[in-house]
Amino acid sequence: MTWRAVYHGDGKARETKIPPAPPWREFPRQPLGEIFQPPDGLVEAVNAAVCLRRPLLITGAPGSGKSAVIESVAAELRLGRVLRWHITSRSTLTEALYRYDALGRIHAQQLAATTGTQPAEDIGPFLQLGPLGTALLPSKRPRPMLIDEIDKSDLDLPSDLLDVLERGEFEIPELARHDRAEVAVREWGSDARPTVVRGRIQCTEFPFIVMTSNGERDFPGPFLRRCIRFVMPQPTVEMLSRVVHAHLTSPPDAEAMQLIQSFVDRVRSGESLAVDQLLNTVFLLRGTDTPKDATRKQLRELLLRELSRV
């Protein structure tokens, strides 16, 4: 059973059992590696990126499964936890490499002066590596990293990335100028504190980087030259049937197949729809207690509303 009318809108408080969440909305989040269904051509693109140590740039519509690729690869190749950098128009390369809390250090020094204690010379507590900086740490195996929606970045960011993507190293100026040659700096999303020598970080295995794009802009040639590029194909009935089966652990029934066919037809006609909308609809309308007639039709229209419409 997946549908239950728990809210009635009558203002009366009542003890109601909330139905279980769909598998993709359970927290802590379940790994997607085992259920991800790669489209044709993606496996070859991933292998090319892994063998050549080049970033994989995946272009496709929102909700087409681009960001799930990194989880699938990281799980299958046992690359460890995925580092994530979600891009906005304000994102900069520096913040992806490291963050320095200069104000925090000044405050600590002022506090030491007012209390008459010796100010700490350790700069490490005020530095943290960003997701890209952490991915470039020396390691025995490539670290997996997602750079999500890079087409939403400032126009200069892809060009700013070129040197790092080519050389696999960067410098932290605050550490290069510091008196101490070795400083422990905290990793992104972890309490681990690797030692940075003379402010320089250089990878020993180039990270496996997946960059996603919704296709909203073009990128400069030198940037594209350093990437393996893959465009997510339009969904097919066969592909979506596999996706539904993998996520719901059972093959789609007759109504689900009708929903899948309608979804494919609408996407091919130019409508903007996401695969998770289809999954939500199939999940909610399956089972014996699901609503009938007008309510069922209303739910289908609600859940499969085109993304470009308000």
Side-chain angles (χ1 to χ4, degrees), residues 12-62:
K12 296 180 180 179
R14 50 175 65 86
E15 290 289 339
T16 304
K17 184 178 180 181
I18 305 297
W24 54 90
R25 292 299 297 168
E26 293 177 348
F27 296 89
R29 297 292 296 272
Q30 299 298 316
L32 296 177
E34 295 182 2
I35 59 176
F36 177 71
Q37 302 292 308
D40 292 341
L42 179 59
V43 170
E44 289 76 16
V46 167
N47 283 320
V50 171
C51 292
L52 295 173
R53 303 299 197 272
R54 290 291 188 182
L56 176 62
L57 175 61
I58 304 178
T59 303

Side-chain angles (χ1 to χ4, degrees), residues 240-250 252 256 260 278-279 282:
L240 291 179
S241 299
R242 295 199 309 266
V243 171
V244 170
H245 191 173
H247 280 81
L248 299 180
T249 66
S250 61
I260 291 171
L278 174 66
L279 290 172
V282 174

Side-chain angles (χ1 to χ4, degrees), residues 8-212:
H8 301 277
D10 55 12
K12 296 180 180 179
R14 50 175 65 86
E15 290 289 339
T16 304
K17 184 178 180 181
I18 305 297
W24 54 90
R25 292 299 297 168
E26 293 177 348
F27 296 89
R29 297 292 296 272
Q30 299 298 316
L32 296 177
E34 295 182 2
I35 59 176
F36 177 71
Q37 302 292 308
D40 292 341
L42 179 59
V43 170
E44 289 76 16
V46 167
N47 283 320
V50 171
C51 292
L52 295 173
R53 303 299 197 272
R54 290 291 188 182
L56 176 62
L57 175 61
I58 304 178
T59 303
S64 57
K66 302 185 298 296
S67 58
V69 174
I70 188 73
E71 294 192 37
S72 175
V73 176
E76 188 169 323
L77 301 186
R78 295 184 177 179
L79 300 182
R81 66 185 179 94
V82 176
L83 299 158
R84 300 173 185 274
W85 182 22
H86 298 283
I87 300 295
T88 70
S89 60
R90 300 180 301 277
S91 298
T92 65
L93 176 61
T94 298
E95 74 175 25
L97 295 175
Y98 75 99
R99 288 108 189 266
Y100 174 49
D101 184 9
L103 291 178
R105 191 179 185 207
I106 292 173
H107 177 71
Q109 291 173 333
Q110 291 174 339
L111 183 62
T114 58
T115 57
T117 58
Q118 184 69 24
E121 292 299 325
D122 187 5
I123 194 177
F126 305 99
L127 279 163
Q128 181 185 21
L129 295 177
L132 181 55
T134 300
L136 292 171
L137 285 168
S139 59
K140 294 182 179 180
R141 293 175 66 78
R143 295 173 183 252
M145 180 181 176
L146 173 68
I147 303 179
D148 202 20
E149 297 190 333
I150 192 170
D151 51 340
K152 287 183 167 52
S153 70
D154 175 87
L155 290 175
D156 293 330
L157 181 59
S159 297
D160 293 342
L161 274 168
L162 290 180
D163 187 59
V164 173
L165 296 182
E166 191 65 28
R167 297 171 60 85
E169 64 178 356
F170 70 100
E171 182 182 78
I172 301 176
E174 291 82 359
L175 293 184
R177 297 191 300 262
H178 196 55
D179 294 337
R180 293 174 57 182
E182 299 183 356
V183 177
V185 179
R186 187 159 61 94
E187 290 185 8
W188 180 258
S190 170
D191 291 329
R193 294 179 177 272
T195 299
V196 179
V197 180
R198 297 296 180 192
R200 193 144 204 90
I201 291 178
Q202 183 171 31
C203 66
T204 51
E205 282 288 345
F206 191 80
F208 176 71
I209 298 176
V210 170
M211 296 183 282
T212 70

Side-chain angles (χ1 to χ4, degrees), residues 233-294:
Q234 284 197 332
T236 64
V237 171
E238 180 184 3
M239 182 185 77
L240 291 179
S241 299
R242 295 199 309 266
V243 171
V244 170
H245 191 173
H247 280 81
L248 299 180
T249 66
S250 61
D253 57 18
E255 182 182 25
M257 290 302 298
Q258 291 178 355
L259 287 170
I260 291 171
Q261 184 64 63
S262 174
F263 183 94
V264 170
D265 293 341
R266 290 175 63 184
V267 170
R268 288 178 177 174
S269 69
E271 292 190 48
S272 179
L273 294 168
V275 174
D276 58 350
Q277 289 178 276
L278 174 66
L279 290 172
N280 290 339
T281 308
V282 174
F283 175 82
L284 206 59
L285 295 184
R286 70 176 185 168
T288 57
D289 295 330
T290 53
K292 308 298 180 183
D293 305 326

